[in-house]
Amino acid sequence: MDILLALTPSLFLGPLGILLAKIGGTVRQQTLGEMLGALLVASLALPFLAPNWTTTSFLVPFIGGITCAIGIAMQLYSFRVVGVSRTMPISTGLQIMITGLAGVVIFNEWATPSATLLGVVAMLIIIAGIALTSFSEQATGGAALDVDEAEAGQAGASAKVVDKAAMRRGLVINVVSAFLLCGYMVWLRWEDINYTEFIFPLALGMAVGAALVAIFLRDGKPLFNATLVKLLVPGVMFGIGVMLMQIANQRVGVAAGFTLSQVGVVISVFGGIVWLKERKTPTELRASILGVLLVLVGAAIIGYTKTLS
């Protein structure tokens, strides 16, 4: 039952990139809309959580929420550089590596040798699958986007055609973003803060972080309009997904919980191709299909490891 709970967040987090790109808006709007939606979910859940806050249990998730919002903004910008179907596999793989290593090395979440061995193998399979889904054979040169750089930095675009230079730039953005997105989870686990205490301050920190992004990331575009209201929908989905993921992390551990929550990358990959018209060559498409299969196999193995711990 705990494994099913750990898989549930992927249903909410997987389609997010596609939905954000379809609704549009600037990076500022998308970040603020997503984080305000998360705060709305946390506020509605607050009466049922009945937290007993201390200075640590409030400030740690609050600071983590600010860094998470900045990481989200960087991820949204990456959509415009390399597209949703490439950003999400790269970002997910990096986050799985960070949280997985922290869960195994720091917290000893796979207690038996056989569970540890299988878990590490499963993470490697998932990372290999994610690498395949982001494979690009486009020639080097200037980034071949369907929108120019100025528009891509502001509109709710997703890069359609990407060359190797753009992939390198996207990788740098995603490395920094991954540490910001999952570092707070390791910190929360280290401080042993219960989800009933950190859900609301985490979401509040995200909203504050999004406000800071909106203030300092000037793009000359209006912030408050109908698009921002529409972006509350993926924000609510993000809030539900993150809350379920944090509950699962405490049930099955960070290594397994976070990894299983990310199998929604399957939705991101094929949704980006089908609905956002992101172009892939036949070789890239075959690599993506094989990569998705590996992700699913790895997730199944991780589910099995929990029966051995």
Side-chain angles (χ1 to χ4, degrees), residues 77-156:
Y77 180 72
S78 181
F79 289 169
R80 291 140 172 86
V81 177
V82 295
V84 172
S85 68
R86 294 178 177 88
T87 292
M88 294 311 296
I90 295 170
S91 180
T92 300
L94 290 168
Q95 291 177 66
I96 287 173
M97 288 174 64
I98 296 167
T99 56
L101 288 173
V104 175
V105 176
I106 300 175
F107 305 120
N108 194 30
E109 290 179 348
W110 285 321
T112 66
S114 56
T116 301
L117 178 61
L118 276 176
V120 170
V121 169
M123 281 196 295
L124 291 174
I125 290 174
I126 289 174
I127 291 167
I130 287 169
L132 283 171
T133 63
S134 59
F135 170 74
S136 175
E137 62 175 1
Q138 299 295 330
T140 57
L145 305 181
D146 282 0
V147 289
D148 60 37
E149 284 280 2
E151 182 184 357
Q154 296 172 359

Side-chain angles (χ1 to χ4, degrees), residues 117-231:
L117 178 61
L118 276 176
V120 170
V121 169
M123 281 196 295
L124 291 174
I125 290 174
I126 289 174
I127 291 167
I130 287 169
L132 283 171
T133 63
S134 59
F135 170 74
S136 175
E137 62 175 1
Q138 299 295 330
T140 57
L145 305 181
D146 282 0
V147 289
D148 60 37
E149 284 280 2
E151 182 184 357
Q154 296 172 359
S158 179
K160 307 296 190 294
V161 181
V162 180
D163 64 14
K164 291 182 180 179
M167 283 298 296
R168 285 194 294 269
R169 185 152 62 103
L171 181 60
V172 172
I173 295 170
N174 276 289
V175 167
V176 178
S177 173
F179 276 97
L180 293 173
L181 285 172
C182 64
Y184 79 92
M185 287 186 286
V186 178
W187 193 9
L188 289 172
R189 179 75 169 82
W190 178 265
E191 297 289 351
D192 197 24
I193 302 173
N194 191 275
Y195 73 88
T196 59
E197 296 180 340
F198 70 65
I199 290 294
F200 180 78
L202 177 67
L204 183 62
M206 288 177 178
V208 170
L212 292 173
V213 169
I215 291 170
F216 290 104
L217 186 63
R218 298 289 182 177
D219 55 22
K221 299 289 184 179
L223 179 62
F224 298 101
N225 55 27
T227 299
L228 181 62
V229 177
K230 293 177 184 178
L231 289 167

Side-chain angles (χ1 to χ4, degrees), residues 233-295:
V233 175
V236 168
M237 291 174 60
F238 175 76
I240 295 172
V242 168
M243 185 165 62
L244 290 173
M245 180 175 65
Q246 299 304 335
I247 295 172
N249 284 352
Q250 295 206 341
R251 296 280 188 89
V252 301
V254 173
F258 180 79
T259 302
L260 291 173
S261 74
Q262 300 305 300
V263 298
V265 70
V266 174
I267 303 173
S268 300
V269 170
F270 290 113
I273 296 170
V274 175
W275 289 301
L276 301 182
K277 309 301 181 185
E278 295 176 4
R279 299 171 193 164
K280 285 183 178 283
T281 66
T283 300
E284 290 171 348
L285 184 59
R286 286 193 293 270
S288 293
I289 294 171
L290 177 58
V292 164
L293 291 175
L294 289 178
V295 168

